[in-house]
Amino acid sequence: LSVMADEETFGSDLPHDHAHAVGVFALYFNRLEFVVHAFFMRYAPGGPEARSFLFDALHNQQRREFIRRVSIATEEPDDAEDVNYAMMCFDICTDNRNLILHAAPLVDDNSEALTVWKTRREDPHLMTGYDFKLEDIRGAARSADDTEGYILDLIKFFTDRSKGRPQRPPQPR
């Protein structure tokens, strides 16, 4: 990667702490997506190449729905409910990602919030503005991290029941 602006001015038009929190959230969400990939591999048919092909061919909503439906068909009810909860948390984290990372920041003097603008899926000619306080962005990052840990713990639990059922994290907001 090459940096077009010098180090001292690069990103200086954005609120530093907010921009840092957005970066942390992006990294945590990417790690969460990687873990969802492993979760998907548990439920998808075929060998590793076929499962990876199927994962790549689907978008996140289809992946989540596939995992939910297969878990309902193959897991005990309590286990399927845990999978459903994990996928619901992932849904919310994905919505947060789509909002925070797919919006354009408005550069202004507001140091209390990061203002972003996003087009609406149902009407791309309209834009909606959102103000994200620092604690909102950090909360979204924590939720992605908590959801990742929960899914990892579920995978371990399904492999070795002696570890005990993992505790559900708080529902992301």
Side-chain angles (χ1 to χ4, degrees), residues 61 64 68 86-96:
Q61 184 179 2
R64 293 184 308 261
R68 283 186 183 117
M87 293 298 94
M88 181 205 51
C89 291
F90 183 60
D91 284 343
I92 296 168
C93 290
T94 301
D95 288 344
N96 289 340

Side-chain angles (χ1 to χ4, degrees), residues 5 10 20 39 50 57 62 69 86 92 109 128 143 145 150 152 159 172:
F10 182 72
H20 177 265
F39 212 33
Q62 293 168 319
R69 289 177 185 230
I92 296 168
D109 293 331
T128 303
S143 292
D145 189 43
Y150 180 58
L152 281 173
T159 304

Side-chain angles (χ1 to χ4, degrees), residues 43-86:
Y43 293 106
E49 282 186 31
R51 291 192 300 256
S52 287
F53 176 81
L54 182 57
F55 183 86
D56 292 340
L58 301 175
H59 56 74
N60 275 336
Q61 184 179 2
Q62 293 168 319
R63 293 169 185 160
R64 293 184 308 261
E65 191 59 27
F66 177 84
I67 292 170
R68 283 186 183 117
R69 289 177 185 230
V70 174
S71 73
I72 289 168
T74 61
E75 301 285 2
E76 294 295 321
D78 286 349
D79 294 346
E81 184 55 39
D82 284 339
V83 170
N84 185 58
Y85 184 81

Side-chain angles (χ1 to χ4, degrees), residues 8-168:
E8 292 179 23
T9 61
F10 182 72
S12 63
D13 57 336
L14 298 171
H16 180 267
D17 290 341
H18 291 76
H20 177 265
V22 168
V24 170
F25 172 68
L27 293 172
Y28 279 170
F29 184 84
N30 288 345
R31 211 168 56 185
L32 170 59
E33 255 186 338
F34 186 78
V35 170
V36 169
H37 181 271
F39 212 33
F40 184 90
M41 295 299 133
R42 171 180 170 79
Y43 293 106
E49 282 186 31
R51 291 192 300 256
S52 287
F53 176 81
L54 182 57
F55 183 86
D56 292 340
L58 301 175
H59 56 74
N60 275 336
Q61 184 179 2
Q62 293 168 319
R63 293 169 185 160
R64 293 184 308 261
E65 191 59 27
F66 177 84
I67 292 170
R68 283 186 183 117
R69 289 177 185 230
V70 174
S71 73
I72 289 168
T74 61
E75 301 285 2
E76 294 295 321
D78 286 349
D79 294 346
E81 184 55 39
D82 284 339
V83 170
N84 185 58
Y85 184 81
M87 293 298 94
M88 181 205 51
C89 291
F90 183 60
D91 284 343
I92 296 168
C93 290
T94 301
D95 288 344
N96 289 340
R97 185 273 317 254
N98 290 342
L99 187 56
I100 295 171
L101 299 182
H102 292 180
L106 174 67
V107 179
D108 61 12
D109 293 331
N110 183 1
S111 63
E112 297 299 314
L114 175 66
T115 301
V116 298
W117 290 92
K118 184 160 181 0
T119 58
R120 297 179 182 179
R121 179 178 297 154
E122 59 280 348
D123 191 353
H125 296 81
L126 292 177
M127 294 184 75
T128 303
Y130 301 90
D131 288 326
F132 291 108
K133 294 180 180 173
L134 184 57
E135 57 267 17
D136 296 334
I137 301 169
R138 288 180 175 162
R142 270 188 222 94
S143 292
D145 189 43
D146 290 347
T147 301
E148 177 211 4
Y150 180 58
I151 293 173
L152 281 173
D153 289 345
L154 276 178
I155 292 169
K156 292 174 192 172
F157 172 70
F158 292 154
T159 304
D160 180 5
R161 300 275 176 167
S162 69
K163 296 184 183 303
R165 187 173 299 278
Q167 181 175 350
R168 291 179 179 181

